[in-house]
Amino acid sequence: MKQRPISLALAFAVLAVAGCRTDAQKEQLHAGEEHANEGDAGVANFDFEALKLADLTVEEIREREMFSDLIVSGEVEPATGGIVTVTTTAPGKLTRIAVTVGSLASAGQVLATVASADLAAAQASFRQADARLKVANESLARQRKLAGLGVFGRPRFEESRTALAQADREAAEARSALAESESKAASAQADVKRATANLDVAESAFRRAERLLKEGLVSREEIERSRAEFLRAEADLEASQRMHDAAQSAVRSAGIALQAAESRAKTAAETLRREEQVLSGGYLTAKEVVEAEALVQSAQLDRSAAADAVRLLGGIPGGASSLAVRSPIEGTVTQVLATLGEVVGTDKPLFTVVNSKSVWIQLAVYQRDLPRVRPGGAVTITADSLPGKTFVATVGYVGQEIDETTRTAKVRCVVANPQGLLRPGSFVTGRIQTDVGARRMAIAVPVEAIQEVEGRQIVFVQGEHEGDFRAVEVETGEGYDGYVEISSGIKAGDRVVTRNSFTVKAQLMKGELGDEH
C-alpha cells in the first residue's frame, strides 16, 4: 500500500505552539493547519483493501445527554474473609514451617506442623476407647452365638417349668385347704344353730320353773336343776360361736393363700412361655445378650467422645500426634510470625494470609453528594501506582454514618482483582457514574475513539476521501455510560473513528517512521 508522507510529531508541535499564541496568532496558525490538512499533513491514508481489513467504524458526532460523574478518593481494603490470621488449634512445638512470606497458599494447604502433647493424650484416649469397643463387639458376637445354640435358654426353661409345677401343686394344696376350712365352718355353723336351739329350750324351762316356784308347785331343787341346764346351754352356745368364728377365719386365710398360689402359678406360666420363646429362636432377648449390647453402646459413646476430642484439637482420630496447621483460604502469605522450634499456644498468631482476588474499595463521598449515589451504580477505579490500568466495579453499599471531621461517608464497592494488582492499603481514585446531578447536552465520543500520543488526547476525523483520516487533538471532560465529553477540538457533524481507532494511530506512526528514514 502506497503511503503519503506524514509527520504526526510535527503536527502536534504546531498545536503546542498554537496553545501559547495570542488569539490572532492562533487564528493564523489554525488557517495554516487547515492549509496543511489540505496538503494531507498529519493524515493517515488507507486504500480500499487496507480500509476493509482495518474494520473501522466511523460515526457522525452529535451532542448527547451527559451527567456529571463524581470523582472521589478511596482506599483498598481486604474483602470480608479476605484476610485471616492463622493459629494452631492445640499448643505444642513448631517442628516444620512449610511457607515463607510471599508464598501462594491454597485453601487447606499445610503451612506448618506442630507436635502437641495434648493431641498425643487425646489420641491415646481414642485408641483405648477404640480397643474397648472392639472387645465389646467380640463379646456381643459370642453371646449371640451362644444364645442361638440355646446355652442360655435351656437351663432357664427347665427352671421355669419346675417352678410352674411347684406353683400348680401349691395352688392345689391351697384349694384343698380352703375346701376343708369351708367344711369345718359349715359344721361349726350347724353346731351354733343346735346350741342356739338348746339354749332356747333350757331358757324356756327355766322361766317356767320360776313361775311354778312362785305358785309352790315345784321344789327348790327342781328350780336349781333347771337353772344349771340353762347356764350349761348358754355356755355351749358361746363355745359353738367361738368355733364358728375360728372356722370362718380359717376360710378367709385359706382363700388368701389360694389367691397367692394361683398368682404364682400364673407368673410361672408366663415365665415359662417367655423362656420357651427364647429357646425356640428369640435369643436376642436373652439377658446375657442384652447386657452385651449395653456394653457395646457404652463403648461406642466413649469412642465417639474421644474422637470428638481429637478433632477439636485439629487432629484425625487414630492418626499422629503432630498437628497440621492449614490455611483456611486461598491467598498469599504476607506474614510469618513464628520460628522453627518455638513452643506456641492457641492464642499465638503464626501466619497472615490475604486473598486479594476480590477486594473492597472504600470511597469517601461528601455528605452533599450522597443523594447522587445509588447501590448498583457503575464505578471506574484508577490508581497512580498503576498507570493505564482501570478497574470496573459497582456500588455495593452506601454508608449511613458521616465522619465528623471529613464530613464524608463510606461508599463500598467490590472489585475483581485476579492478578492482585490492587493491594490493600493503597490509595485509588473512583469515578462514580450518577443518575442525579447536572444534566446537560455535550459533544461526546465513545471511550474507544480516543487515543493518546505523546501525552495528548486525539481523535481521528474522516477527511474528504473515504480512506483519509486526520489526527485532531481534543480536550476531554467527564465520562458517562461509556462516552467521554469533548470540550474542544471537534464539533457536531464531524465524522470520527469510534472503533479500532488504534489501527489509524498505528498507520500514522508507521508513516512517521517512514519519513524519518
Side-chain angles (χ1 to χ4, degrees):
M1 180 181 67
K2 181 178 180 182
Q3 297 181 348
R4 302 176 185 177
I6 56 175
S7 177
L8 186 59
L10 178 59
F12 283 124
V14 173
L15 291 171
V17 174
C20 302
R21 303 286 186 175
T22 65
D23 292 341
Q25 291 172 325
K26 288 181 178 180
E27 291 178 0
Q28 293 176 356
L29 286 172
H30 183 64
E33 291 167 15
E34 290 181 347
H35 179 71
N37 287 336
E38 292 176 357
D40 297 334
V43 176
N45 306 108
F46 292 83
D47 60 21
F48 177 78
E49 292 298 331
L51 185 62
K52 184 177 179 181
L53 291 174
D55 191 24
L56 304 179
T57 298
V58 180
E59 298 181 35
E60 182 177 330
I61 302 304
R62 65 182 187 277
E63 289 187 339
R64 297 179 59 87
E65 190 176 53
M66 300 290 288
F67 295 89
S68 295
D69 294 342
L70 285 177
I71 308 299
V72 295
S73 60
E75 185 177 354
V76 181
E77 294 182 359
T80 298
I83 180 170
V84 296
T85 299
V86 184
T87 62
T88 178
T89 54
K93 182 179 180 180
L94 271 173
T95 58
R96 176 174 174 259
I97 297 178
V99 294
T100 59
V101 173
S103 297
L104 296 178
S106 58
Q109 179 178 332
V110 177
L111 305 180
T113 303
V114 175
S116 173
D118 291 355
L119 181 57
Q123 292 284 24
S125 297
F126 171 78
R127 291 187 178 93
Q128 291 173 358
D130 188 60
R132 287 194 296 271
L133 177 59
K134 290 179 180 178
V135 171
N137 279 323
E138 292 172 356
S139 176
L140 175 60
R142 184 170 56 255
Q143 296 295 74
R144 284 176 172 171
K145 184 176 181 180
L146 292 174
L149 295 173
V151 173
F152 304 131
R154 175 60 65 180
R156 281 197 295 270
F157 174 75
E158 296 298 337
E159 291 175 2
S160 297
R161 187 160 60 180
T162 301
L164 177 59
Q166 177 67 25
D168 287 341
R169 285 194 299 271
E170 291 176 355
E173 292 173 357
R175 281 190 290 272
S176 177
L178 176 61
E180 184 179 354
S181 298
E182 288 175 343
S183 177
K184 290 181 179 179
S187 178
Q189 181 68 29
D191 291 342
V192 169
K193 289 181 179 180
R194 211 169 28 250
T196 300
N198 291 337
L199 177 61
D200 291 341
V201 172
E203 183 179 10
S204 177
F206 176 66
R207 300 304 178 196
R208 186 175 63 251
E210 285 182 328
R211 288 193 302 271
L212 293 175
L213 179 63
K214 290 179 180 180
E215 296 176 358
L217 298 176
V218 295
S219 63
R220 174 65 62 181
E221 291 178 355
E222 288 180 358
I223 194 66
E224 291 299 330
R225 186 171 54 255
S226 180
R227 182 194 301 276
E229 289 177 359
F230 171 68
L231 294 174
R232 186 168 53 253
E234 191 175 42
D236 288 344
L237 177 60
E238 291 178 356
S240 297
Q241 189 65 49
R242 285 194 298 273
M243 291 296 292
H244 178 265
D245 291 343
Q248 288 294 331
S249 178
V251 169
R252 288 193 294 271
S253 297
I256 293 172
L258 177 59
Q259 289 179 352
E262 289 178 341
S263 177
R264 287 193 296 273
K266 182 179 180 180
T267 301
E270 292 175 352
T271 302
L272 178 62
R273 283 194 299 272
R274 184 172 61 252
E275 294 301 332
E276 187 176 11
Q277 290 175 353
V278 172
L279 184 63
S280 63
Y283 58 85
L284 291 181
T285 60
K287 175 175 175 292
E288 290 78 5
V289 174
V290 172
E291 290 176 350
E293 288 175 343
L295 289 176
V296 170
Q297 292 176 355
S298 177
Q300 287 174 337
L301 291 175
D302 291 344
R303 184 185 185 279
S304 178
D308 289 342
V310 172
R311 295 189 187 98
L312 186 63
L313 293 174
I316 300 174
S321 59
S322 294
L323 174 66
V325 180
R326 301 177 183 275
S327 174
I329 63 171
E330 178 183 2
T332 303
V333 178
T334 59
Q335 287 183 305
V336 177
L337 304 172
T339 56
L340 193 63
E342 180 180 358
V343 177
V344 296
T346 56
D347 58 344
K348 162 72 175 178
L350 304 180
F351 306 93
T352 300
V353 180
V354 176
N355 183 352
S356 299
K357 290 189 175 181
S358 178
V359 295
W360 282 356
I361 303 294
Q362 295 284 14
L363 301 174
V365 178
Y366 284 106
Q367 183 178 2
R368 65 177 181 270
D369 295 325
L370 284 176
R372 302 171 59 189
V373 181
R374 297 283 188 272
V379 183
T380 302
I381 304 297
T382 59
D384 292 340
S385 59
L386 300 169
K389 290 287 185 180
T390 59
F391 301 86
V392 178
T394 56
V395 174
Y397 172 75
V398 179
Q400 303 299 313
E401 297 182 0
I402 304 298
D403 187 276
E404 295 181 357
T405 303
T406 63
R407 309 308 300 171
T408 62
K410 295 294 185 182
V411 172
R412 184 178 70 223
C413 54
V414 180
V415 180
N417 188 35
Q419 296 178 340
L421 299 177
L422 292 173
R423 299 179 182 276
S426 59
F427 294 100
V428 297
T429 299
R431 178 185 291 269
I432 304 176
Q433 293 184 5
T434 64
D435 295 332
V436 181
R439 181 179 298 183
R440 64 191 186 283
M441 299 300 293
I443 298 296
V445 298
V447 174
E448 189 180 353
I450 300 174
Q451 295 292 327
E452 182 177 347
V453 178
E454 297 182 355
R456 300 173 184 272
Q457 303 295 312
I458 65 169
V459 298
F460 296 101
V461 179
Q462 188 177 42
E464 295 180 0
H465 301 92
E466 184 179 4
D468 295 343
F469 301 95
R470 58 186 175 88
V472 177
E473 182 180 7
V474 294
E475 291 185 7
T476 59
E478 296 181 350
Y480 177 75
D481 196 24
Y483 282 79
V484 178
E485 181 181 352
I486 304 298
S487 56
S488 67
I490 59 175
K491 62 184 184 300
D494 287 345
R495 293 180 59 79
V496 173
V497 178
T498 58
R499 187 170 67 88
N500 288 343
S501 60
F502 63 88
T503 304
V504 185
K505 175 183 173 181
Q507 184 73 352
L508 282 172
M509 299 301 294
K510 181 178 178 182
E512 182 177 307
L513 292 173
D515 289 345
E516 291 178 358
H517 290 288

